[in-house]
């Protein structure tokens, strides 16, 4: 049953990628499948990236071409490629999902009760205690203590302060915030393996 569930989800993803079928329906089915798997698997699919993927799926469902939300987008002037630009409502929702992800990632480090995030020593242990470390984790773990402390401090700034810049009125400032987010995800990928999570966040 579980294999059939995942195979069906993979088939939907292929159809979405190739552009076959109505996007809202495909996204809704994919999101429903993943949500049902998250409920059935409990702890194994109750991590931050699981809720993030579900939120993205819901947003894709209501904002995809052909959905009721897309009708509002059609009123927005077209961009240079002749496609309708996303409405402010779609962009605001996307920004909120990203804000929630990044800010909650920073908050949980201070509410977890682990003192290493507060004294900036977490990276001295993280690289060899994280799930699925790869070869890059070995080299990252051998960095000097000051580099570990600096990376934790940079992480706190990116996750706790910069997310508020997503709602800045200046586009340049928002681009700088997005750039910092991407740099953080690249840094995580270079020393750990979290599957689709970092790619989905960066995109």
């Amino acid at each position: 049953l579980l294999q059939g569930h995942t195979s069906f989800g993979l088939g939907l993803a292929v159809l979405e990628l190739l552009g076959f079928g109505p996007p809202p329906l495909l996204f809704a089915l994919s999101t429903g499948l993943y949500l049902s798997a998250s409920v059935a698997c409990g702890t194994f699919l109750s991590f931050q990236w699981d809720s993030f993927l579900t939120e993205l799926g819901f947003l894709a469902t209501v904002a995809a071409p052909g959905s009721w939300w897309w009708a509002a987008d059609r009123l927005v002037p077209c961009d240079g490629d002749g496609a309708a630009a996303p409405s402010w409502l779609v962009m605001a929702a996307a920004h909120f999902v990203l804000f929630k992800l990044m800010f909650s990632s920073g908050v949980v480090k201070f509410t977890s009760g682990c003192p290493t995030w507060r004294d900036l020593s977490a990276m001295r242990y993280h690289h060899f205690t994280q799930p699925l470390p790869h070869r890059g984790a070995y080299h990252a773990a051998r960095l000097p203590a000051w580099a570990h402390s600096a990376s934790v401090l940079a992480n706190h700034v990116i996750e706790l302060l910069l997310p508020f810049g997503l709602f800045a009125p200046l586009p340049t400032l928002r681009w700088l915030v997005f750039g910092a987010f991407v740099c953080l995800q690249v840094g995580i990928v270079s020393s750990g393996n979290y599957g689709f999570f970092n790619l989905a966040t960066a995109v």
Side-chain angles (χ1 to χ4, degrees), residues 42-60:
T43 304
F44 295 100
L45 287 180
S46 62
F47 293 96
Q48 186 180 21
W49 41 83
D50 298 304
S51 60
F52 178 56
L53 189 61
T54 305
E55 292 166 354
L56 288 180
F58 175 77
L59 182 59

Side-chain angles (χ1 to χ4, degrees), residues 20 26 40 49 51 60 66 80 84 88 102 106 130 136 145-146 157 163 177 194 198:
F20 292 113
L26 294 177
W49 41 83
S51 60
W88 70 269
M102 299 303 296
Q130 64 176 322
W146 66 265
V157 172
V177 171
Y194 293 87
N198 304 111

Side-chain angles (χ1 to χ4, degrees), residues 109-201:
K109 292 177 175 61
F110 284 90
T111 59
S112 64
C114 179
T116 60
W117 291 108
R118 296 176 181 272
D119 62 21
L120 306 183
S121 64
M123 286 301 143
R124 301 180 190 179
Y125 318 101
H126 168 76
H127 296 295
F128 51 83
T129 59
Q130 64 176 322
L132 302 177
H134 54 65
R135 187 180 297 273
Y138 169 78
H139 299 289
R142 296 171 64 86
L143 291 173
W146 66 265
H148 288 152
S149 298
S151 64
V152 177
L153 180 60
N155 181 88
H156 290 338
V157 172
I158 293 174
E159 292 184 342
L160 292 172
L161 297 180
L162 293 190
F164 292 95
L166 291 173
F167 307 104
L170 299 177
T172 302
L173 182 57
R174 295 198 298 270
W175 276 109
L176 291 175
V177 171
F178 287 134
F181 288 169
V182 172
C183 288
L184 175 61
Q185 301 310 314
V186 171
I188 296 173
V189 170
S190 67
S191 62
N193 181 9
Y194 293 87
F196 65 82
F197 181 47
N198 304 111
L199 178 61
T201 304

